[in-house]
């Protein structure tokens, strides 16, 4: 006894009746048609239905959400999809680790100076180290992922 | 790129689909017969016809990268049917956040050392203060899960994403990924060059 207005977004998209046990309806509500359109475009209705069906009920919402996220990434970036994001995160981690190493080296330097000569004050030298740190950081910030042959999005694979 | 059909050896896709591998087969350059699992995964998750559509929408020089990233996603989904690549993204985001906190703490320590090591009468040329106030500039902004933004500075296919959508409160999934995530997959068998 489904009325047209109670069809889920998937059944509306597929132009079919929405049965009471529709596999899609809990995860593709009618008020968000874009959500199903995205996953359908990348995975197809039958693959999405299979993936949801094969998952325990309590995890199905996460499946639908992650499929939606990945399909949106793929629509935005047809070449790399969410793999581009993974690549970016690897780069961010690499940059943050480099920065951290530099800062720790600076701390070790200042610490060793302080321990070596109590009267020795790394005045301008200490300040210039801080300034050097920031210019090193800004040069790292200018690194971009993109069409570089050595650091493209799939370089981590 | 080799054409498998010219050696009478069907590509992995046509072998899987049990059809003749014709000259000009769209799959042949990217699914060699030596890597059957690559197409098996891609077909299982995306389906051959969806992959064909995706590839047809791309210029030829981008197709190899597209296939390799699809293979990567497909393998991630096979390994983790609930979260797929999103599990890895969550894991890596947490690493970024942890490192940013460590960096903030280390920078604060550095400033304390620098301030303690410089008497207040010392002057830096061009500055009124012995130590410049430090702010973290352009922190690596973690991508908020559930957000897919517009790419900015899109150059040659690589994109930097900002997250316009609110973060999605995923519970921390059991992680099939280890710290070497990214090196465990063989989805890049095509040897993508960019």
């Amino acid at each position: 006894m489904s009325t047209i207005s109670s069809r889920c977004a998937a059944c509306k998209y597929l132009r079919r009746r929405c049965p009471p046990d529709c596999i899609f309806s809990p995860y593709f509500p009618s008020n968000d048609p874009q959500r199903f359109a995205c996953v359908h475009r990348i995975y197809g209705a039958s693959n999405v239905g299979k993936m949801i069906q094969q998952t325990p009920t309590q995890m199905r919402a996460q499946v639908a959400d992650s499929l939606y996220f990945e399909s949106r990434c793929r629509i935005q970036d047809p070449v790399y999809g969410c793999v581009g994001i993974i690549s970016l995160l690897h780069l961010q981690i690499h940059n943050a680790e480099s920065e951290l190493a530099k800062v720790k080296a600076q701390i070790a330097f200042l610490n060793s100076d302080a321990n070596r000569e109590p009267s020795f004050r790394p005045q301008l030298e200490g300040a210039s180290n801080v300034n050097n740190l920031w210019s090193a950081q800004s040069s790292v910030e200018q690194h971009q992922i993109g069409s570089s042959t050595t650091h493209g999005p799939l370089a981590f694979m | 790129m080799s054409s498998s059909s010219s050696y009478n050896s069907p590509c992995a896709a046509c072998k899987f689909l049990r059809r003749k591998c014709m000259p000009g087969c769209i799959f042949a350059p990217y699914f060699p017969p030596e890597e059957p699992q690559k197409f098996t995964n891609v077909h299982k998750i995306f389906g051959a016809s969806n992959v064909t559509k995706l590839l047809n929408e791309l210029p030829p020089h981008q197709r190899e990268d597209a296939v390799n990233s699809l293979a990567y996603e497909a393998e991630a989904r096979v390994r983790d049917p609930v979260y797929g690549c999103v599990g890895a993204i969550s894991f890596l985001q947490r690493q970024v956040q942890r490192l940013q906190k460590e960096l903030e703490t280390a920078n604060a320590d550095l400033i304390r050392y620098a301030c303690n090591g410089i008497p207040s009468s010392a002057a830096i040329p061009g500055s009124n203060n012995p130590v410049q106030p430090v702010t973290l500039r352009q922190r690596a902004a973690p991508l908020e899960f559930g957000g897919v933004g517009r790419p900015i500075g899109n150059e040659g296919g690589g994109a930097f994403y900002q997250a316009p959508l609110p973060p999605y409160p995923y519970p921390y999934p059991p992680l099939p990924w280890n710290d070497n995530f990214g090196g465990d997959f063989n989805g890049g068998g095509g040897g993508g060059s960019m």
Side-chain angles (χ1 to χ4, degrees), chain B residues 27-93:
Chain B
F27 298 121
Y30 318 112
F31 295 101
E34 305 81 37
E35 294 177 45
Q37 195 60 38
K38 188 176 175 184
F39 183 79
T40 303
N41 290 342
V42 167
H43 178 64
K44 179 176 178 179
I45 302 302
F46 296 100
S49 62
N50 288 327
V51 175
T52 303
K53 264 192 283 180
L54 284 166
L55 292 181
N56 279 331
E57 288 169 4
L58 290 172
H61 68 279
Q62 290 186 318
R63 289 176 183 170
E64 187 170 12
D65 282 350
V67 165
N68 288 339
S69 67
L70 286 169
Y72 186 94
E73 281 190 39
E75 185 166 355
R77 183 62 64 172
V78 165
R79 283 176 59 152
D80 183 354
V82 177
Y83 295 105
C85 273
V86 168
I89 290 173
S90 288
F91 174 77
L92 294 170
Q93 279 186 320

Side-chain angles (χ1 to χ4, degrees), chain A residues 35 39-45 47-48 50-51 54-56 59-108 110-112 114 120-131 133-138 141-142 144-157, chain B residues 43-47 50 53-54 57-58 62 64-70 72-73 77 81-86 88-90 92-93 95-96 98-100 102-103 105-107 109-111 113-114 116-119 122-125 130-151 153-161 165 168 170-171 179-183 185-189 192-194:
Chain A
R35 185 173 155 97
V39 299
H40 181 268
R41 180 171 163 181
I42 302 301
Y43 298 100
N47 287 331
V48 174
K50 260 191 281 182
M51 284 190 267
Q54 288 165 2
T55 307
M59 302 302 289
R60 288 178 178 178
Q62 285 89 327
V63 172
D65 289 332
S66 63
L67 288 173
Y68 176 49
F69 180 86
E70 289 187 30
S71 61
R72 280 197 66 172
C73 289
R74 183 61 62 173
I75 290 167
Q76 295 262 1
D77 183 355
V79 180
Y80 299 109
C82 68
V83 174
I85 296 179
I86 291 174
S87 173
L88 172 66
L89 287 168
H90 276 285
L91 181 64
Q92 288 182 349
I93 288 169
H94 172 78
N95 289 345
E97 285 173 343
S98 300
E99 288 298 318
L100 193 58
K102 283 180 201 161
V103 173
K104 286 183 173 173
Q106 294 285 340
I107 290 172
L110 293 173
N111 202 18
S112 68
F120 173 75
R121 292 291 180 227
Q123 302 175 1
L124 299 180
E125 190 180 323
S128 70
N129 283 338
V130 174
N131 291 332
L133 179 68
W134 292 120
S135 42
Q137 182 177 9
S138 70
E141 288 164 359
Q142 286 165 18
Q144 295 178 359
I145 59 169
S147 56
S148 164
T149 55
T150 55
H151 295 290
L154 296 183
F156 70 95
M157 288 168 59
Chain B
H43 178 64
K44 179 176 178 179
I45 302 302
F46 296 100
N50 288 327
K53 264 192 283 180
L54 284 166
E57 288 169 4
L58 290 172
Q62 290 186 318
E64 187 170 12
D65 282 350
V67 165
N68 288 339
S69 67
L70 286 169
Y72 186 94
E73 281 190 39
R77 183 62 64 172
V82 177
Y83 295 105
C85 273
V86 168
I89 290 173
S90 288
L92 294 170
Q93 279 186 320
Q95 274 195 288
V96 168
R98 176 183 58 81
L99 283 166
Q100 283 181 336
E102 276 188 59
L103 193 53
T105 304
N107 276 323
D109 288 343
L110 179 62
I111 294 308
Y113 269 104
N116 290 338
I118 299 172
I124 300 170
V131 174
Q132 298 294 331
V134 175
T135 53
L136 273 177
R137 292 181 299 175
Q138 202 167 336
R139 291 174 56 188
L143 298 160
E144 292 178 342
F145 180 77
V148 176
R150 293 191 194 87
N154 193 356
E155 295 175 3
F160 182 87
Y161 287 89
L165 301 178
Y168 190 86
Y170 263 10
D179 282 333
N180 294 323
F181 178 77
F185 289 100
N186 294 321
S193 59
M194 290 152 293

